[in-house]
Amino acid sequence: MLFAAQPTKVFCRGFFSKKLESFLARLFFKKAGKRGKMKQLMLGNQAVARGLFEAGCRFVSSYPGTPSTEISEYASEYEEIYAEWAPNEKVACEAALGAAIGGARSFCAMKHVGLNVAADPLFTAAYTGVNGGMVIGVADDPGMHSSQNEQDSRHYAIAAKLPMVEPSDSQECIDFIKAAYEISETYDTPVIFRTCTRIAHSQSIIETAERGERPLRDYVKDPKKYVMMPGNAIGRHVFVEERMKKLAELAETTPLNRAELAGRGVGFITSGTCYQYVKEAFPEASVLKLGLVNPLPEKLIRDFAAQVETLYIVEELDPVIETHCRAIGVRVDGGKDRLGLLGEYSQREIAAAFGAPVPECADFGEPVPVRPPVLCPGCPHRGLFYTLHKLGVMVSGDIGCYTLGALPPLGALDTTVCMGASISGLHGFNKARGRDSAKKSVAVIGDSTFMHSGITGLINITYNLGNSTVIVLDNSITGMTGHQQNPTTGLTLKNQPTPQVSIEKICEAAGVRRVRVVDPNELKELEQVVREELEADEPSVIIARRPCVLLKYVKHAPPFVIDDEKCKKCKACMRIGCPAINITDGRVVIDETLCVGCDLCTKLCSFGAIKSSEVHV
């Protein structure tokens, strides 16, 4: 559980406006009990949504991506906030920018790799600026709990020349969102709001406040500001550079950055979740906590460094703060040389790295068994990957639940790069290796990911006379991130009925003449369809359609059991990697608490040893 130290009183004196100065002072220095009407534990992502509500945000557009997903889900529960799932992060960012230009306070959320997708509008939004405030939420994932890379989003703030704020607990998630909107409107800029997995998915104490309604700002036509043709963009670049100078002055005085002086011995400069680790490992140390992480202050850092004998920098991922300190001539006595560039940190790791006693902890006396991720019992993707593995084809994979098809015993996937790359990558693979390659390779992609960034890859295949087979794994939901709606499901984020996008018609409109739909649990039909489409001399799409077994409307059949008298212990049923099937004391056993009665295993047993528990005696 995260608990933030009380901020020390810092007087706001600097360039920024009296209005912003007054707001930040009220936000950070109000007395306990005046913050709102309710004190409670709140998840970081839920607190971000609460901050959006209290800040008067009107518009939210996002694409789900762990660890950011719940922000938009919680935001959608407020009637005062319009919230939507966009097809991808680029669209979400553009929609939020449009809402901000239209005079509303807007927000979009994504995970760190989603910011790659949104980078195009992000960089130009830095030039156009805003009208109503705009905040871009990005959740980094140190340790790669649910991601394909470990990139540090602070580099985007630096490259795009945008301010970035980073909270350290749930209360700061609320307060920093409010501060971000004030900065956005004061300095005419989008603001990036950075969290990480630990902040997003930890709980700490917050106090709620009433919503601060913000009237819609007037929209005034201004092509020189919003039409980024070269002649106008040249002038806006001048504005961006001047704005960064003003933000640098803000960094020196804002209470988002605060010095907690506790002695002249050891001092730490840190931010985000690392602040919590440092405070636990070194409760008596002086700390400079940075909440505005771009631009970073110079004088504030120099002054803090001058007041401590030993200075350490603690930041996960890349040495952004450390590099800045060295560049401005501040000595650093330890940082990445002690902690490294990989993964998450912890209180124990920080204590060990910088010479504090490492508390002992109890253990189980034996190694904890490894529990690798697996497809759920009854997952509709299992039959497809079993079939592809059996056929021995090269499988160009994508991002989603089906990425787990790479693991044994299915072992089907050859590649996984990013959203939509399965289709584009397969096209390049087959063009490079010749037409025969298309008869031995497929791409797999989910329904939501196909909407996100698969369609353009499919168009690339047909337009450039490719001959690849694409399999869309349509499980009727966005599965990996926790069952979010998407354009193919017929429901919005707020569960309002909406036109249901047809994958079949999209494929036909893209120029694919061979589009087939098959149930992936019908193994014989599935294998026949895959073989036929691999042999076709033109592009083809197979839609493997079966709803996710965890959807509430999916009715489960009675579990299956093993007839020991008929079982030959051939282990054919083990080839699909179903968690409900295991071997205990030499016997094949089905765990009836896990089995959902999908009957896929029965199609692998040649001896009739797997039967429904309803009829088995």
Side-chain angles (χ1 to χ4, degrees):
M1 190 181 299
L2 301 176
F3 295 94
Q6 291 298 314
T8 55
K9 190 168 183 178
V10 180
F11 291 97
C12 309
R13 304 198 189 279
F15 173 86
F16 55 102
S17 71
K18 291 295 181 183
K19 179 181 177 182
L20 178 59
E21 180 176 328
S22 175
F23 170 81
L24 292 174
R26 293 196 310 274
L27 179 62
F28 287 91
F29 305 143
K30 48 198 168 185
K31 295 180 180 179
K34 298 295 185 181
R35 194 184 292 274
K37 298 186 180 294
M38 184 183 301
K39 181 181 288 187
Q40 64 187 89
L41 280 173
M42 187 172 281
L43 194 73
N45 279 347
Q46 185 179 5
V48 175
R50 181 69 195 186
L52 296 174
F53 169 76
E54 293 182 11
C57 176
R58 291 170 176 255
F59 181 95
V60 172
S61 183
S62 305
Y63 183 81
T66 306
S68 72
T69 305
E70 297 89 356
I71 297 173
S72 302
E73 292 177 326
Y74 282 117
S76 72
E77 296 176 4
Y78 295 104
E79 293 182 0
E80 297 86 346
I81 300 176
Y82 169 82
E84 67 179 24
W85 290 130
N88 61 38
E89 296 86 356
K90 179 179 183 290
V91 172
C93 184
E94 292 162 345
L97 177 59
I101 292 173
R105 284 192 165 183
S106 70
F107 179 83
C108 59
M110 60 204 71
K111 66 185 297 178
H112 60 297
V113 288
L115 194 55
N116 299 334
V117 181
D120 193 0
L122 177 79
F123 277 72
T124 303
Y127 277 42
T128 66
V130 297
N131 181 14
M134 178 183 179
V135 177
I136 301 157
V138 58
D140 283 5
D141 191 19
M144 293 180 283
H145 299 280
S146 57
S147 307
Q148 67 267 39
N149 72 30
E150 206 172 15
Q151 72 189 47
D152 189 328
S153 294
R154 291 178 294 177
H155 294 295
Y156 270 106
I158 296 168
K161 300 185 178 180
L162 289 173
M164 174 182 275
V165 300
E166 182 174 8
S168 293
D169 61 22
S170 294
Q171 183 62 62
E172 288 189 348
C173 284
I174 296 176
D175 293 342
F176 282 25
I177 280 286
K178 295 179 183 179
Y181 279 115
E182 294 297 325
I183 293 171
S184 176
E185 291 173 352
T186 301
Y187 292 92
D188 190 11
T189 180
V191 176
I192 303 177
F193 183 90
R194 181 189 188 229
T195 66
C196 66
T197 301
R198 293 299 165 186
I199 299 300
H201 291 159
S202 295
Q203 296 185 70
S204 62
I205 295 174
I206 63 96
E207 291 183 62
T208 59
E210 298 300 322
R211 177 174 171 86
E213 288 293 349
R214 299 284 173 154
L216 197 67
R217 291 187 169 194
D218 292 338
Y219 169 70
V220 178
K221 187 180 181 70
D222 189 354
K224 286 187 178 296
K225 184 177 192 297
Y226 296 122
V227 179
M228 285 301 95
M229 62 177 65
N232 294 340
I234 290 171
R236 291 302 295 178
H237 189 191
V238 174
F239 168 81
V240 169
E241 299 302 338
E242 290 299 318
R243 182 180 66 202
M244 287 303 294
K245 292 177 183 178
K246 297 172 185 177
L247 287 166
E249 293 185 35
L250 172 65
E252 303 292 351
T253 56
T254 174
L256 293 170
N257 299 330
R258 69 174 187 257
E260 300 173 3
L261 297 174
R264 296 189 59 85
V266 175
F268 289 87
I269 302 178
T270 187
S271 66
T273 191
C274 290
Y275 167 77
Q276 304 292 348
Y277 302 153
V278 168
K279 292 295 288 186
E280 290 191 36
F282 291 87
E284 305 301 323
S286 294
V287 177
L288 176 57
K289 178 188 181 298
L290 299 175
L292 180 62
V293 294
N294 191 63
L296 290 167
E298 294 187 16
K299 183 178 183 300
L300 183 63
I301 289 175
R302 288 195 185 99
D303 290 348
F304 178 81
Q307 296 180 74
V308 296
E309 297 172 0
T310 305
L311 181 66
Y312 296 134
I313 311 295
V314 178
E315 55 185 326
E316 290 176 333
L317 302 180
D318 295 338
V320 173
I321 300 173
E322 183 175 340
T323 299
H324 174 75
C325 289
R326 296 185 188 279
I328 63 174
V330 172
R331 78 184 193 286
V332 176
D333 299 302
K336 288 298 174 184
D337 57 330
R338 302 194 184 198
L339 288 167
L341 298 165
L342 309 178
E344 289 184 298
Y345 297 158
S346 67
Q347 298 90 330
R348 292 174 60 84
E349 186 176 356
I350 289 170
F354 298 107
V358 179
E360 295 182 3
C361 61
D363 57 36
F364 294 104
E366 60 183 77
V368 177
V370 176
R371 186 185 181 189
V374 294
L375 296 171
C376 300
C379 176
H381 305 327
R382 181 170 279 109
L384 175 68
F385 286 131
Y386 169 79
T387 300
L388 296 179
H389 178 79
K390 177 182 177 182
L391 294 176
V393 295
M394 182 271 184
V395 180
S396 180
D398 224 292
I399 305 295
C401 293
Y402 42 89
T403 308
L404 298 174
L407 301 177
L410 297 170
L413 267 62
D414 287 62
T415 64
T416 297
V417 179
C418 65
M419 301 281 278
S422 61
I423 300 177
S424 308
L426 180 65
H427 172 72
F429 183 88
N430 288 338
K431 283 291 185 179
R433 299 185 65 84
R435 294 191 66 82
D436 286 344
S437 174
K439 299 183 183 299
K440 303 174 185 177
S441 61
V442 300
V444 294
I445 190 169
D447 50 334
S448 179
T449 312
F450 182 72
M451 292 291 109
H452 179 284
S453 51
I455 297 171
T456 49
L458 186 63
I459 293 171
N460 191 46
I461 290 175
T462 58
Y463 173 64
N464 289 299
L465 305 176
N467 187 31
S468 297
T469 299
V470 174
I471 304 178
V472 179
L473 291 76
D474 182 7
N475 64 351
S476 305
I477 203 70
T478 308
M480 179 67 86
T481 48
H483 283 191
Q484 290 76 36
Q485 306 298 336
N486 68 65
T488 72
T489 65
L491 292 171
T492 69
L493 171 56
K494 288 181 177 276
N495 286 314
Q496 298 169 315
T498 188
Q500 190 171 358
V501 175
S502 168
I503 298 174
E504 294 94 314
K505 291 182 179 179
I506 288 285
C507 294
E508 291 167 359
V512 180
R513 293 182 294 184
R514 300 180 65 93
V515 180
R516 303 179 69 175
V517 180
V518 64
D519 183 343
N521 270 26
E522 298 299 327
L523 294 183
K524 289 184 179 179
E525 179 187 2
L526 174 65
E527 182 176 342
Q528 179 181 347
V529 168
V530 173
R531 288 183 181 276
E532 289 173 358
E533 297 312 314
L534 287 173
E535 290 297 321
D537 289 326
E538 61 180 299
S540 59
V541 172
I542 301 169
I543 302 172
R545 179 168 288 151
R546 188 178 181 90
C548 173
V549 71
L550 299 181
L551 288 170
K552 293 180 180 179
Y553 66 79
V554 174
K555 303 298 182 183
H556 296 170
F560 284 82
V561 295
I562 302 294
D563 186 334
D564 290 332
E565 293 183 1
K566 294 184 177 181
C567 179
K568 305 300 181 183
K569 300 181 177 59
C570 67
K571 301 180 182 178
C573 56
M574 301 293 292
R575 296 174 189 162
I576 55 174
C578 178
I581 307 174
N582 62 82
I583 296 178
T584 303
D585 298 328
R587 296 174 52 244
V588 178
V589 177
I590 294 179
D591 186 337
E592 296 186 33
T593 65
L594 293 178
C595 179
V596 297
C598 73
D599 86 351
L600 184 65
C601 57
T602 66
K603 298 177 173 64
L604 303 179
C605 182
S606 302
F607 308 102
I610 305 176
K611 298 182 178 179
S612 171
S613 58
E614 275 195 339
V615 299
H616 181 70
V617 179

